[in-house]
Every structure is written in C-alpha cells, then in structure tokens.
Amino acid sequence: MTVLVRDFRTEDAEAVTALRRVCIPYQVVTEELLLFGVATANPAKKYRLLVAEEEGVIIGTAHVGIAYESSEPGQSSVTPHVHPGRRGRGAGALLLRTAEEHLADEGATSVCAWVIDEPSSRAFAEKRGYRPSRGAHFQRLDLARAVLPEPPPLPPGFVLRTAGDFAGNPRPLFEADAESTSDEPSDISTALDDYEDWLHTTWNDPSLDRDLSTAVVAADGRVAAFTAVVTDRATTYVTGMTGTRRAFRNRGLAKLAKSDSLRRARAAGYTDAFTSNDGDNGPMLAVNKWFGYEICASEVRYVRTLG
Ligand SMILES: CC(C)(COP(=O)(O)OP(=O)(O)OC[C@H]1O[C@@H](n2cnc3c(N)ncnc32)[C@H](O)[C@@H]1OP(=O)(O)O)[C@@H](O)C(=O)NCCC(=O)NCCS
C-alpha cells in the first residue's frame, strides 16, 4: 500500500478534524478553524497544511510554516501527527520530509517540532536528526466536577470585562497580549508588533470565544490581565493565552481572570478544560495547579538545523 502526501483540500476538512481530534484530544480543532487557518494565513508564514493519504483515507496531517513573528529569522515549525492505528507505514517520515523541503525552499535554517513525550515519538524525531530542547505540559481540569478555589479579591478601581466588550476597539487586548507573549518562556522569541495581523489571526480566529474570555481592566482603561479562550462551542474549553502586564504581576490578577472565565464556562455547560504551559513557566504552572489542573500529556520541543 502506498502512502502519498499532498496539500489539504477543502473537502478534507471533516476527515482532518476527526484525525487531529484523535491525535491531540487536548486542543480545539474544528472544520471552521482549519478552513480559516488555510484561508487567512499571513503570506510570510508560507503556510501549508499537508495530509498523508493511504488508499484514499487521510491517516496523517502536518501544519507547516515559517515562524514569521519571531525576532530571529530562519525559524520554522512542523507538527506531524499520524493516526495511532496507522503508524509505521512511512506517513510521518514523508510528511516531515515534504515539510522540511518546503521550509528550506522558503529560507528556513531551522525547523522545530513538538513531539509527544513517549518513546516511539521521541525515537522517530531523533532518528531524523532532531535534537531535544524544552518541554511543555498539557493539563486538564474536570470542569464538571472540580471544586474551584475562591478567587482573589478584585483590587479597588479594577473591573472585569469580557473580550466581547472590546469589540469596538480590541487594541487594549492586543497591547496586553503583545507584552505578555514576549515574556512567555520559549526558545522562539515572539514579537507581536503587527496589530492588523493580530486582528486577522487572533481576534478573528473563529474558535476564540470572546464571551468566555475575561479581561481585568485597570482604572486607566489598560487591560492589566486577561485570559483568552478557544472552545469547540460544545464541551471543550482550551486556554489560548493568559497574560498579565509586567506592572501588575503577582497580585492575583491571572487567577482572577481565569476564575471568572472558568466559572462562566462551567455555567455554559463546558465539562473539559485544557491548557498547555512551557515546563519552565513557574508562575503559570503555579496558577494552573491552584485551580486543580493535572498534567495529561507532555511534549518535547525538537529542533533540526536545515541545509
Ligand atoms: C504567568 C502570568 C500570566 C501570571 O500572572 P500573575 O497575574 O502574576 O499571576 P497571579 O498573581 O494570579 O499568580 C501568580 C502565581 O505564581 C507564583 N509565582 C510567581 N513567580 C513564580 C516562579 N518563578 N515560580 C513559581 N511560582 C511563581 C506566585 O507565587 C503566584 O502563586 P500563589 O498566589 O499561589 O503564590 C504572568 O507572569 C505573565 O503574563 N507571564 C508571561 C506570559 C505567560 O507566560 N503566560 C502564560 C502562557 S502559557
């Protein structure tokens, strides 16, 4: 049987959604989100969504792109995933090779892949010249049953808002996202300095649940802290980003934002909350542990130099 790799087509959306849900159950994947990603990717990303097909059945996928938001040029990423029942048939290797050729042609000098921390996936990456770097943890909270801790008090002068309240002018959210994202531990430094691109890729992301995303707003109108949430509009709630601006850290504001959002998500019927943090992100891991999140899977970032 022959495995082939090709670019995603619109009619693949249902099969790719189902496959990625099996491979990465702790992320939100919807058909709408896949189609949005393909249609609106920044041209600088040189984005491709690859699929591996065997006998007409999609058995693997990979998001492939240049890390164009990084302050260091030449960095790129690939996320190959093959259905657990269809591994060992060459799909992963072919996805990776196709991705690396494309990225090298577009000027990438290094490629990063997040690999599930399990022996077979790590061995696959190491055999193909990838070396391990940082780790990250996916964590799950059983939102239906969890006893959520009492939130810290809202400091005088601060108010809670939803992201939806910023529909007329989301710039204060962009400013908080840009400042906090630049401080997130990672070895691809990210500089969010393009408001228009942020509007396209983050604010207009169809999976962003503006009503369940919470902002803590200071008296001067600045967003001091926020939690941005993506959902499948059914049962799964995933934290896309939580951030507190530098001047407001360690005052319980991340806990406050997330407490408000999680409580409203539970009231809206969400049962599974997921989040993912870099293994060195002490403050965020502390916040999530306080809520009762437990590690459900770990990943290791692997890097390969191209050329
Ligand atoms: C992570 C972040 C959102 C926390 O915001 P915050 O408003 O300061 O958080 P809170 O004040 O609600 O809680 C911070 C907790 O971290 C703990 N903490 C602070 N520094 C820590 C460290 N280096 N190691 C471990 N825990 C630490 C605090 O003690 C506190 O926990 P406690 O109240 O149980 O003592 C903020 O540091 C930030 O924006 N970082 C950059 C962006 C980022 O990494 N976001 C997460 C992406 S996944």
Side-chain angles (χ1 to χ4, degrees), residues 180 184 241-244 249-252 254-255 277 281-283 287:
S180 48
E184 192 176 351
M241 176 67 188
T242 299
T244 300
R249 287 190 188 150
N250 285 314
R251 293 164 65 176
K255 286 182 173 175
N277 305 125
N281 198 337
V287 168

Side-chain angles (χ1 to χ4, degrees), residues 3-248:
V3 174
L4 63 89
V5 165
R6 60 168 174 80
D7 284 289
F8 170 88
R9 297 191 283 254
T10 304
E11 59 270 27
D12 300 326
E14 189 181 344
V16 172
T17 301
L19 175 67
R20 290 194 77 86
R21 283 182 178 168
V22 169
C23 296
I24 338 159
Y26 24 79
Q27 284 183 349
V28 164
V29 187
T30 63
E31 290 180 43
E32 192 190 12
L33 179 61
L34 287 175
L35 295 168
F36 171 82
V38 171
T40 64
N42 189 311
K45 191 170 179 181
K46 308 293 177 194
Y47 175 65
R48 286 175 75 185
L49 174 53
L50 298 176
V51 302
E53 197 182 84
E54 187 183 44
E55 310 270 283
V57 178
I58 293 177
I59 63 167
T61 69
H63 293 288
V64 182
I66 299 285
Y68 68 97
E69 287 169 327
S70 167
S71 37
E72 226 180 287
Q75 306 204 52
S76 66
S77 69
V78 56
T79 61
H81 285 277
V82 175
H83 191 286
R86 301 293 197 114
R87 295 190 181 153
R89 300 150 119 94
L94 196 54
L95 282 166
L96 202 56
R97 201 164 67 236
T98 310
E100 287 169 352
E101 282 168 12
H102 166 66
L103 293 167
D105 285 349
E106 296 297 348
T109 50
S110 80
V111 59
C112 130
W114 282 102
V115 175
I116 302 292
D117 190 3
E118 59 190 9
S120 58
S121 296
R122 294 189 68 148
F124 171 85
E126 280 162 23
K127 206 171 143 192
R128 286 164 183 83
Y130 284 74
R131 57 175 203 285
S133 160
R134 338 175 49 92
H137 302 299
F138 287 103
Q139 298 136 82
R140 176 177 180 268
L141 180 70
D142 179 347
L143 196 53
R145 289 185 194 82
V147 179
L148 293 173
E150 270 309 299
L154 188 64
F158 287 71
V159 287
L160 295 180
R161 294 277 179 258
T162 70
D165 293 331
F166 291 83
N169 174 24
R171 193 176 268 277
L173 282 171
F174 165 72
E175 284 161 1
D177 192 10
E179 185 175 305
S180 48
T181 296
S182 68
D183 289 346
E184 192 176 351
S186 159
D187 42 23
I188 295 193
S189 56
T190 302
L192 299 183
D193 52 9
D194 182 341
Y195 181 53
E196 290 303 316
D197 187 53
W198 181 87
L199 288 175
H200 280 301
T201 57
T202 302
W203 181 249
N204 290 326
D205 175 341
S207 61
L208 174 69
D209 195 320
R210 293 185 192 171
D211 293 333
L212 293 183
S213 299
T214 296
V216 184
V217 183
D220 61 6
R222 270 187 298 169
V223 168
F226 70 98
T227 191
V229 171
V230 297
T231 64
D232 62 358
R233 305 291 192 262
T235 55
T236 305
Y237 163 110
V238 177
T239 306
M241 176 67 188
T242 299
T244 300
R245 297 193 72 163
R246 289 173 202 126
F248 298 102

